[in-house]
Amino acid sequence: MAGLEAAGVSAGQKVPVETETGLGELSYRLSPYSDLAECKLVSFPIGIYKVLRNVTDQIHLITLANNELKSLTSKFMTTFCQLRELHLEGNFLHRLPSEVSALQHLTAIDLSRNQFHDFPEQLTTLPALETINLEENDIVDVPVEKLASMPALRSINLRFNPLSAEVRVIAPPLIKFDMLMSPEGARAPPP
């Protein structure tokens, strides 16, 4: 990828990161996406912002799955506004910054196995969003009307959430997309 090389990013370059055990280094691999899964990250590495500052518009997929993230910053959302896919499953997230609205090209987001109690309503403002995965969170209420008005939405996975009876009754006739729900009272299988 010529853009990354022009920015001075080289394969194997070490980038400082903060993990649950303190500061460390991460070897950055050149690719059309950033895969930082299972790195025990507690925050998005500031060094990555610096390394990629000239090519963020070429990053279309970021994977931060199975880390220790408790939040994402507004800087993350505005820096990587050209994202098409964002994989954040298996973290400790309970909310998204309002700046998620900057992700106007986002088509898929995976927020499964996090700690959301409230549906992240900012997602309903994203015009290109086709797929939302919120499986295995603690969501009770869902903004069915807002979801129904999303132009590109094709699928939302809400399995293993304690959805209210109202959502279970109201949603099916209003929506034109696939809404995956577990039977009432169903629990996720142990990992």
Side-chain angles (χ1 to χ4, degrees):
M1 180 163 269
L4 292 173
E5 291 166 357
V9 180
S10 58
Q13 182 171 345
K14 299 288 184 185
V15 177
V17 298
E18 181 182 356
T19 70
E20 66 177 359
T21 57
L23 293 176
E25 287 186 334
L26 179 73
S27 179
Y28 184 76
R29 295 184 305 271
L30 287 176
S31 67
Y33 61 92
S34 292
D35 186 347
L36 297 172
E38 300 181 18
C39 294
K40 297 186 179 182
L41 298 174
V42 295
S43 64
F44 189 78
I46 293 170
I48 297 289
Y49 289 121
K50 293 176 183 173
V51 169
L52 298 178
R53 70 181 168 268
N54 296 324
V55 293
T56 57
D57 61 329
Q58 296 175 36
I59 305 291
H60 294 156
L61 183 152
I62 292 180
T63 298
L64 290 163
N66 304 313
N67 280 293
E68 309 286 331
L69 298 173
K70 292 180 182 164
S71 66
L72 286 175
T73 64
S74 56
K75 181 177 182 174
F76 176 88
M77 298 298 172
T78 56
T79 299
F80 298 105
C81 61
Q82 296 298 318
L83 284 179
R84 305 299 192 268
E85 292 184 44
L86 182 55
H87 297 272
L88 297 166
E89 64 271 20
N91 281 288
F92 299 107
L93 299 171
H94 63 279
R95 65 176 179 78
L96 294 175
S98 60
E99 289 80 4
V100 74
S101 62
L103 302 178
Q104 295 292 300
H105 305 285
L106 194 69
T107 60
I109 188 164
D110 191 340
L111 296 165
S112 62
R113 299 184 334 272
N114 274 285
Q115 297 178 354
F116 286 91
H117 295 283
D118 298 315
F119 186 93
E121 287 198 39
Q122 309 96 307
L123 297 178
T124 64
T125 66
L126 302 179
L129 195 56
E130 298 174 2
T131 305
I132 302 170
N133 187 350
L134 280 160
E135 185 173 355
E136 290 186 48
N137 279 280
D138 292 313
I139 297 169
V140 174
D141 196 24
V142 176
V144 176
E145 294 83 11
K146 289 181 179 181
L147 290 169
S149 68
M150 292 178 69
L153 190 61
R154 293 185 301 146
S155 173
I156 181 167
N157 183 348
L158 291 166
R159 288 185 286 206
F160 304 115
N161 279 280
L163 296 172
S164 70
E166 183 180 352
V167 169
R168 293 174 179 284
V169 171
I170 291 175
L174 292 178
I175 59 175
K176 302 177 206 113
F177 51 85
D178 291 330
M179 185 166 172
L180 306 175
M181 297 183 281
S182 298
E184 195 168 354
R187 298 201 184 275

